[in-house]
Amino acid sequence: MKRNSRLSLALHTLSHMAGSPGRVRTSSDIAEHAGTNPVVVRRVLGKLREAGLLTSEKGHAGGWRLAREPQNITLADVYLALDERMVATNEASETPACSVEHALQERVSGVLEEIEESLVKRLGETSISEVRGG
Amino acid sequence: MKRNSRLSLALHTLSHMAGSPGRVRTSSDIAEHAGTNPVVVRRVLGKLREAGLLTSEKGHAGGWRLAREPQNITLADVYLALDERMVATNEASETPACSVEHALQERVSGVLEEIEESLVKRLGETSISEVRGG
DNA sequence: AGTAAAGCAACTGGAAAAGTTACGTATGAC
DNA sequence: GTCATACGTAACTTTTCCAGTTGCTTTACT
């Protein structure tokens, strides 16, 4: 796998699940479909569970299930759940020596933040059932 | 440095240069400002030169200069120049075993592609002089 | 009890990017 | 013409991130 693999995995899985909501799927099944392994799947889906998009059950006949109607899960939900800001330069770390640089940093961050927001907004306009269905 | 450092470096440098266009800056100066080293700077700025955003001159009194008016350089120009697609899952690699999966992959790619486009469009609405100036 | 699932922590390995070094090439100053 | 300076580039090293893996625990159904 490569970059953006988490988002890709999440979208594929959710879209797939949107096909038959209510059905339980195990990490192993999902992993096999996605060509990866169960632990990786649990790591990613765990994030989605924290965000309230999925539920999981332990034990025999346990597994993963959609927590909501597929129509009510947007790409923004998925994106935010994974907590990977693509655009924003998150770092507030190194204080720049130059004062011009400092002001500049603020501005750049501001713009990128704004762009991130518009990206999320755009993602919010599509649900996973739309991705699947057509 | 971290992720998105290339974009960050590029934006900071261009914004800074937008302050006094026409002035020449050496890789060393820029590197020092950015807290990195000249070779890295040249690597990144080289991409911007290929895209026609900067010019460089060798030899004594050489260095980097904006190739256009700052107002005519948009964030999209910079982003595209660096050739780093943030959203799109570029891979057309592994042919999925499952046919449903194949169709799904197409759809997901399509959506991500579309989102990438809207991101670029949004980036195109801001010039580096706007980032700097206010 | 036994089996099958998630949860979790720790380690491994590989790839991508930054950083570094070294050398070539071009250009202006003297 | 030669010297200093700056980019251009290639090769190598180091760092960092993340998927992959392993092993163990917990939970729940049969």
Side-chain angles (χ1 to χ4, degrees), chain B residues 12-39:
Chain B
H12 277 97
T13 303
L14 287 177
S15 303
H16 220 168
M17 293 176 87
S20 46
R23 176 172 151 205
V24 175
R25 295 164 202 254
T26 67
S27 307
S28 301
D29 289 349
I30 296 168
E32 196 161 358
H33 246 107
T36 180
N37 93 28
V39 178

Side-chain angles (χ1 to χ4, degrees), chain A residues 74-119:
Chain A
T74 70
L75 302 186
D77 292 327
V78 182
Y79 173 69
L80 292 174
L82 294 182
D83 212 30
E84 296 174 336
R85 298 317 183 84
M86 287 182 178
V87 182
T89 57
N90 35 6
E91 54 195 317
S93 48
E94 22 184 332
T95 15
C98 165
S99 73
V100 173
E101 198 66 19
H102 179 63
L104 203 56
Q105 195 145 335
E106 301 263 310
R107 296 283 303 167
V108 172
S109 301
V111 170
L112 293 179
E113 205 63 50
E114 190 189 335
I115 286 164
E116 179 87 26
E117 276 172 34
S118 80
L119 172 63

Side-chain angles (χ1 to χ4, degrees), chain B residues 24-58:
Chain B
V24 175
R25 295 164 202 254
T26 67
S27 307
S28 301
D29 289 349
I30 296 168
E32 196 161 358
H33 246 107
T36 180
N37 93 28
V39 178
V40 173
V41 169
R42 285 198 282 265
R43 280 207 280 250
V44 173
L45 298 195
K47 290 275 194 180
L48 302 184
R49 184 191 50 223
E50 288 171 21
L53 308 183
L54 289 176
T55 59
S56 65
E57 284 157 25
K58 291 182 173 183

Side-chain angles (χ1 to χ4, degrees), chain A:
Chain A
M1 285 195 156
K2 355 180 147 177
R3 185 79 72 71
N4 278 85
S5 58
R6 294 220 286 268
L7 180 58
S8 186
L9 173 58
L11 287 179
H12 278 97
T13 304
L14 287 177
S15 304
H16 221 166
M17 293 176 87
S20 46
R23 176 171 151 206
V24 175
R25 296 165 202 252
T26 67
S27 307
S28 301
D29 291 347
I30 295 168
E32 197 160 358
H33 247 108
T36 180
N37 96 24
V39 178
V40 174
V41 170
R42 284 199 280 267
R43 278 208 280 250
V44 173
L45 299 195
K47 290 275 194 180
L48 303 183
R49 184 192 49 225
E50 287 171 21
L53 309 183
L54 290 175
T55 59
S56 64
E57 284 158 25
K58 290 182 173 183
H60 200 103
W64 300 86
R65 214 184 298 258
L66 290 180
R68 308 186 204 159
E69 302 283 302
Q71 299 87 340
N72 296 333
I73 299 178
T74 70
L75 302 186
D77 292 327
V78 182
Y79 173 69
L80 292 174
L82 294 182
D83 212 30
E84 296 174 336
R85 298 317 183 84
M86 287 182 178
V87 182
T89 57
N90 35 6
E91 54 195 317
S93 48
E94 22 184 332
T95 15
C98 165
S99 73
V100 173
E101 198 66 19
H102 179 63
L104 203 56
Q105 195 145 335
E106 301 263 310
R107 296 283 303 167
V108 172
S109 301
V111 170
L112 293 179
E113 205 63 50
E114 190 189 335
I115 286 164
E116 179 87 26
E117 276 172 34
S118 80
L119 172 63
V120 170
K121 189 172 168 215
R122 173 68 187 74
L123 289 168
E125 293 167 7
T126 307
S127 77
I128 59 166
S129 52
E130 288 170 65
V131 171
R132 178 184 188 75

Side-chain angles (χ1 to χ4, degrees), chain B residues 67-112:
Chain B
R68 306 187 205 158
E69 302 283 303
Q71 300 87 338
N72 295 333
I73 299 178
T74 70
L75 302 187
D77 292 327
V78 182
Y79 174 69
L80 293 174
L82 294 181
D83 213 32
E84 296 175 336
R85 299 317 183 83
M86 287 182 177
V87 181
T89 58
N90 35 6
E91 55 196 315
S93 48
E94 22 186 331
T95 17
C98 164
S99 72
V100 172
E101 197 65 18
H102 179 63
L104 203 56
Q105 194 145 333
E106 300 263 311
R107 295 285 302 168
V108 171
S109 300
V111 170
L112 292 179

